[in-house]
Amino acid sequence: MATTNLSYYDKASIPNAKKFRFGIVVSEWNPEITENLFLGAEEALLEHGTLKENIIRWNVPGSFELIYGCKKMIETQKLDAIIAIGNVIQGETKHFDFVCEGVTQGIKDLNIQYDVPIIFCVLTDNNKQQSLDRSGGKHGNKGIESAVAAIKMAALREF
Ligand SMILES: Nc1c(NC[C@H](O)[C@H](O)[C@H](O)CO)[nH]c(=O)[nH]c1=O
Ligand SMILES: CC(=O)[C@@H](O)COP(=O)(O)O
């Protein structure tokens, strides 16, 4: 199944985000990828009206630490949504599987436990080229897609 471009969307359908406050937790593993994901997310949030001062960025060592970083951010900041940014690339061992499953389940659990939506912006790729293609390359930028999801979920949270 061909991957759709992650960055094409109907911009007119996105609520104005001026009143929302967003957290972005960024993994420091594979920074070439995660920084591009962050820039895509930040640019999209600003494009849809978010105030720069309403984007709170924290860094964590790796994708597995996104779980604790998001939890701590929810508990200490007043936020309407959080974007968790990471990039896990398959190595020689099964560690990839455990990191990906762990961060997926951990972020899922936080979405159940707390009333702040956490957007899963974690690329889980077989190789670096797949990551490059999805962080500003031929398949777009998952950071943009995640920012759009964050705005939509922040609006939904108001009901
Ligand atoms: N191999 C990758 C990791 N591994 C590190 C873990 O995320 C974690 O920091 C460590 O196990 C200590 O708890 N992390 C990534 O984000 N990307 C990788 O490719
Ligand atoms: C996904 C990872 O943690 C990865 O970097 C580990 O590499 P390896 O499986 O070769 O130890």
Side-chain angles (χ1 to χ4, degrees):
M1 174 74 175
T3 304
T4 58
N5 189 306
L6 306 172
S7 305
Y8 289 155
Y9 64 97
D10 176 11
K11 296 191 178 186
S13 69
I14 308 305
N16 185 286
K18 185 174 183 179
K19 59 187 173 182
F20 296 137
R21 196 160 182 266
F22 297 100
I24 306 182
V25 185
V26 184
S27 163
E28 293 170 338
W29 257 79
N30 302 322
E32 175 188 354
I33 304 300
T34 59
E35 284 307 314
N36 280 339
L37 293 171
F38 170 77
L39 291 173
E42 182 187 51
E43 183 181 332
L45 291 175
L46 294 171
E47 180 178 359
H48 289 289
T50 307
L51 303 178
K52 186 103 174 165
E53 60 265 31
N54 286 342
I55 300 175
I56 315 305
R57 173 177 172 163
W58 288 2
N59 293 343
V60 293
S63 290
F64 193 81
E65 283 73 39
L66 288 170
I67 303 163
Y68 182 82
C70 290
K71 176 180 181 292
K72 202 67 184 174
M73 193 175 253
I74 290 172
E75 293 175 343
T76 61
Q77 306 291 318
K78 185 171 170 45
L79 299 168
D80 297 290
I82 294 176
I83 302 170
I85 290 179
N87 173 226
V88 193
I89 298 176
Q90 176 68 64
E92 294 177 356
T93 72
K94 289 179 64 66
H95 194 235
F96 170 88
D97 300 327
F98 292 102
V99 170
C100 293
E101 180 66 12
V103 69
T104 303
Q105 295 304 321
I107 290 175
K108 179 265 290 177
D109 291 344
L110 293 177
N111 273 288
I112 294 170
Q113 186 179 354
Y114 292 95
D115 186 35
V116 176
I118 302 173
I119 308 305
F120 187 77
C121 185
V122 181
L123 294 181
T124 54
D125 299 320
N126 297 311
N127 54 61
K128 185 169 182 180
Q129 188 57 52
Q130 288 182 346
S131 301
L132 291 168
D133 290 346
R134 290 158 178 79
S135 56
K138 68 180 182 180
H139 292 312
N141 189 322
K142 193 171 188 67
I144 297 172
E145 171 197 331
S146 298
V148 169
I151 294 169
K152 289 179 175 180
M153 292 306 290
L156 182 145
R157 181 172 174 266
E158 289 188 301
F159 288 118

